[in-house]
Amino acid sequence: MPIKIQSDLPAKEQLEYENIFVMDDARAMHQDIRPLQVCILNLMPIKQDTELQLLRALSNTPLQVDVTFLMVQSHKSLNTSVNHLNRFYSVFDDVKEKKFDGMIITGAPVEQMAFEEVDYWEEISQIMEWTKTNVTSTLHICWGAQAGLYYHYGLDKCLLPEKLFGIYEHKVANRKIPLVRGFDDYFLAPHSRHTTVDRDAIHNCEQLRVLAESEEAGVLLCMANNGKQIFLMGHPEYDRYTLDTEYKRDLGKNLPIHVPLNYYPGDDPSKKPNLQWRSHSNNLYSNWLNYYVYQETPYEW
């Protein structure tokens, strides 16, 4: 799938190196099709890493996708340059009158705080309310999923005894649901979080349908409103070295951290991590774009 991004976005060079088809405005104007409009609310501190991971994940269908990056105004990012933000990001006031076919709300490193204590909670609540009328399907990731479940369905998160960190096995609950079409019975996905949403609370919520879960990591994937709202607790978009970087970062800060589960060969951090989740990650994002964004969105809003 061609992803339409600004020609000078730093992620473009790496995507092209990986043989992923990207195009700029000039080339896109020569194609007589309506691209899917996808907005990515990037709440992660190092935004360039998340940009690359998500653009890579969105690159596996024949659909053309026009990506808009969004940031919150009520929080100052300290890990991404102001120049990068000003050049490549919009704020909610810029887009609130627009309609989007799909939206992704990322995770954020604020999970150990109460939702109302997060300095941009009021703003993100406004955005999540806006998605009900202005977005065909919204995919919430990790903390974004916890925030969405809390805002839309009143399901609060709870603190885990220790960080859930590594590669976990999950079982598909119903493979006939288009979002997990083509999945194996069991598949792997990365997790990196201190909190969770109670498994029973999700199962007992009549509006939610669980699509994949793990004995160790809990619910990974659930949805509501026939896919208008999708909640993904893990990080299948992570690349090979993301957990490695997080592990060494936490070690360097003397934070309590264990070796990521099922990640390094022989649990030896000196060895190259195994990439064991990419095919199912590609399948998940392709299914989302095809069945819940492209197939459901009107040609003209």
Side-chain angles (χ1 to χ4, degrees):
M1 165 181 55
I3 301 173
K4 188 166 84 69
I5 54 178
Q6 290 176 250
S7 59
D8 50 350
L9 184 73
K12 183 173 184 286
E13 182 178 354
Q14 179 62 30
L15 291 168
E16 290 177 332
Y17 175 77
E18 296 178 17
N19 201 30
I20 291 173
F21 186 11
V22 295
M23 66 169 66
D24 56 22
D25 292 335
R27 181 166 183 177
M29 288 179 65
H30 288 84
Q31 297 190 337
D32 189 20
I33 59 176
R34 180 173 99 63
L36 294 177
Q37 300 293 327
V38 174
C39 181
I40 299 177
L41 175 57
N42 190 353
L43 303 172
M44 294 297 286
I46 305 177
K47 300 195 184 303
Q48 295 94 324
D49 290 350
T50 305
E51 292 162 12
L52 179 60
Q53 291 166 7
L54 289 175
L55 290 173
R56 184 191 290 122
L58 294 173
S59 68
N60 292 285
T61 78
L63 305 168
Q64 181 180 316
V65 177
D66 188 349
V67 175
T68 298
F69 287 108
L70 190 66
M71 64 179 182
V72 290
Q73 287 181 286
S74 42
H75 176 80
K76 183 178 180 181
S77 179
L78 301 177
N79 297 281
T80 301
S81 72
V82 174
N83 180 61
H84 184 88
L85 296 174
N86 290 340
R87 193 175 187 87
F88 301 113
Y89 278 74
S90 300
V91 295
F92 184 54
D93 284 343
D94 299 327
V95 304
K96 64 183 181 181
E97 302 302 325
K98 297 181 180 180
K99 305 282 188 178
F100 287 91
D101 305 307
M103 183 167 188
I104 297 174
I105 299 177
T106 74
V110 294
E111 57 182 315
Q112 292 174 285
M113 301 170 61
F115 291 114
E116 290 83 1
E117 293 177 0
V118 176
D119 56 6
Y120 50 82
W121 179 248
E122 183 177 344
E123 183 177 358
I124 197 174
S125 296
Q126 183 182 7
I127 292 171
M128 288 190 290
E129 184 65 27
W130 168 85
T131 64
K132 293 179 180 180
T133 53
N134 288 58
V135 181
T136 301
S137 178
T138 302
L139 175 62
H140 309 70
I141 301 174
C142 200
W143 181 85
Q146 296 180 0
L149 288 171
Y150 180 68
Y151 177 78
H152 293 295
Y153 302 104
L155 303 185
D156 207 347
K157 56 186 170 63
C158 52
L159 191 66
L160 292 166
E162 63 176 355
K163 187 175 184 179
L164 187 73
F165 190 50
I167 311 301
Y168 293 83
E169 184 179 73
H170 306 82
K171 183 178 181 180
V172 173
N174 188 336
R175 63 173 52 260
K176 292 183 179 180
I177 301 299
L179 191 59
V180 291
R181 188 168 290 167
F183 276 49
D184 296 326
D185 288 341
Y186 291 88
F187 66 98
L188 300 174
H191 288 266
S192 178
R193 51 189 168 90
H194 294 273
T195 55
T196 192
V197 179
D198 181 71
R199 182 198 311 259
D200 291 337
I202 294 175
H203 277 282
N204 292 333
C205 181
E206 293 182 359
Q207 297 98 320
L208 295 172
R209 186 165 191 175
V210 174
L211 302 180
E213 59 185 318
S214 163
E215 288 295 325
E216 298 170 286
V219 173
L220 171 73
L221 186 62
C222 61
M223 72 179 193
N225 298 321
N226 295 317
K228 185 172 180 63
Q229 297 164 334
I230 295 172
F231 306 96
L232 176 61
M233 303 297 182
H235 284 285
E237 79 283 356
Y238 272 7
D239 61 33
R240 182 190 302 271
Y241 289 102
T242 306
L243 292 182
D244 176 71
T245 300
E246 292 185 10
Y247 174 62
K248 293 172 180 175
R249 176 202 65 198
D250 287 358
L251 280 180
K253 294 181 177 180
N254 293 317
L255 296 173
I257 190 66
H258 59 79
V259 173
L261 185 72
N262 300 323
Y263 182 57
Y264 299 112
D267 289 333
D268 183 351
S270 68
K271 294 182 178 179
K272 181 180 179 180
N274 292 321
L275 183 58
Q276 310 168 77
W277 59 91
R278 177 63 57 80
S279 61
H280 281 89
S281 174
N282 290 342
N283 200 2
L284 174 66
Y285 281 92
S286 294
N287 286 346
W288 174 62
L289 280 176
N290 183 20
Y291 297 115
Y292 298 92
V293 179
Y294 175 68
Q295 300 290 346
E296 297 295 329
T297 196
Y299 186 83
E300 293 183 2
W301 271 91

